[in-house]
Amino acid sequence: MIYSIAEVVAQHERLENERLQLLKSIHEQSGNAYRLENRERLKSLQHKYNQIVISQREARRGPWTDPLSILPFDIWVHIIEEIVDDRWGSSYRVIYNMILVSKQWKDAIVRIPQFWTQISIEVGFAESEVLQRITTALYLSGDQALTLDIERPIGRDLYDGCHALLAPHSARIRRITFRQTYLSSSWSGSGAISLYQILLSLLPLPNLQDLRLSDSNFTEDQWGILESMPRIRFLEGSALPLSIVKHVSLVNLETLAVSGRADELSSL
């Protein structure tokens, strides 16, 4: 049972008043303990007193009142957002665990779109599981902006299934992060698909603002793909050639995170 703050306070006050009244009765009864019936009554009072003290001690250490029942709903939502915010793609695990807390938490979480905006494509899982997670996230996120976290190497079979679900929502994608894993591409089916092929298949990406590449071994011509991402503001890549800023129009770019050599930097 979930109690409100007012109910918890009222219960605490009732127990404390009862404890004080019992303590007074015990002191009064102690002076008349020479008679058998008085000793039995004193023992009964002491037992009740001890039970109340135990109840108070247990109340101080929990179980705690459900924060969903006592906090303003928007504050509770903000706290959950802070907990599940994870740029590395594991937010769905946290969300799924929180659904198991109680029916009240499940009902609240499934109706808040921003909790479902991070979509992870992870290798090493059954294709059906990955596709089900994507389907669930796309439905429950409504029309909210999306974040994609994609592990590589990823097999074409797995990616084709993911792409079929994601393609109609490409305009909602705001951030894409690629991560390199040590798993063989055989975990994900046949033939690993390249990073460039993944980006090409998702075009157009008219609202993409943040792109983080695990590697960027594109040919010079392939960098032209960035022209199809007109709103990109943050671009990161371990092998990103700084020369692309000379050849690709990135009018909204604010941050270019790259490991560059001094001679490359000086030439810009």
Side-chain angles (χ1 to χ4, degrees):
M1 181 178 294
I2 299 174
Y3 297 98
S4 67
I5 288 180
E7 290 172 324
V8 171
V9 171
Q11 185 179 22
H12 172 76
E13 291 178 347
R14 179 184 61 78
L15 286 174
E16 182 61 13
N17 290 334
E18 189 173 350
R19 185 187 71 82
L20 294 175
Q21 185 60 47
L22 282 169
L23 186 60
K24 180 180 178 181
S25 298
I26 288 171
H27 284 308
E28 293 174 349
Q29 198 69 30
S30 296
N32 300 316
Y34 57 89
R35 298 182 60 179
L36 178 60
E37 60 269 25
N38 289 340
R39 288 199 299 272
E40 293 298 324
R41 174 170 170 71
L42 179 61
K43 185 182 297 185
S44 175
L45 292 173
Q46 289 171 333
H47 176 73
K48 290 180 180 179
Y49 179 88
N50 290 336
Q51 291 300 114
I52 289 177
V53 170
I54 291 173
S55 296
Q56 290 178 317
R57 185 182 303 146
E58 291 177 346
R60 283 195 293 270
R61 66 171 180 248
W64 305 109
T65 303
D66 187 346
L68 179 57
S69 68
I70 62 176
L71 292 174
F73 189 68
D74 57 336
I75 299 297
W76 180 83
V77 169
H78 183 67
I79 291 173
I80 301 301
E81 285 180 321
E82 289 295 316
I83 294 173
V84 303
D85 183 27
D86 184 355
R87 63 173 292 185
W88 300 119
S90 62
S91 66
Y92 74 90
R93 297 190 186 96
V94 181
I95 285 292
Y96 285 4
N97 286 334
M98 287 186 174
I99 283 177
L100 301 177
V101 170
S102 67
K103 183 179 184 301
Q104 289 81 3
W105 279 50
K106 178 181 178 181
D107 292 343
I109 288 172
V110 298
R111 63 186 175 90
I112 301 172
Q114 59 264 41
F115 287 173
W116 302 93
T117 58
Q118 188 174 42
I119 296 176
S120 301
I121 302 177
E122 296 178 291
V123 299
F125 289 86
E127 179 178 346
S128 59
E129 181 180 347
V130 175
L131 297 181
Q132 183 58 54
R133 286 204 307 261
I134 295 175
T135 301
T136 300
L138 290 173
Y139 176 74
L140 293 178
S141 62
D143 59 357
Q144 297 284 307
L146 299 173
T147 293
L148 297 187
D149 291 280
I150 304 174
E151 285 188 345
R152 298 181 56 247
I154 179 173
R156 183 173 293 277
D157 291 344
L158 173 59
Y159 180 73
D160 285 348
C162 297
H163 175 260
L165 298 173
L166 292 171
H169 302 271
S170 61
R172 294 170 56 195
I173 299 174
R174 296 296 188 275
R175 187 177 79 187
I176 301 177
T177 299
F178 289 94
R179 286 190 293 146
Q180 196 72 22
T181 71
Y182 295 102
L183 293 177
S184 165
S185 60
S186 62
W187 279 87
S188 306
S190 61
I193 184 171
S194 72
L195 187 153
Y196 176 76
Q197 289 173 318
I198 293 174
L199 286 176
L200 189 65
S201 71
L202 291 172
L203 294 182
L205 292 166
N207 297 306
L208 183 68
Q209 298 179 8
D210 189 322
L211 178 61
R212 301 164 190 255
L213 307 171
S214 56
D215 62 68
S216 45
N217 296 318
F218 295 175
T219 65
E220 187 172 341
D221 292 340
Q222 288 176 333
W223 282 114
I225 195 173
L226 297 177
E227 300 280 3
S228 300
M229 309 170 192
R231 296 190 179 182
I232 195 161
R233 295 182 178 181
F234 184 98
L235 180 59
E236 178 183 72
S238 59
L240 196 66
L242 293 178
S243 58
I244 66 170
V245 300
K246 294 181 178 180
H247 307 296
V248 179
S249 176
L250 300 172
V251 295
N252 292 308
L253 187 66
E254 298 174 355
T255 304
L256 182 63
V258 58
S259 301
R261 300 192 309 269
D263 58 338
E264 290 180 310
L265 293 170
S266 62
S267 66
L268 293 177

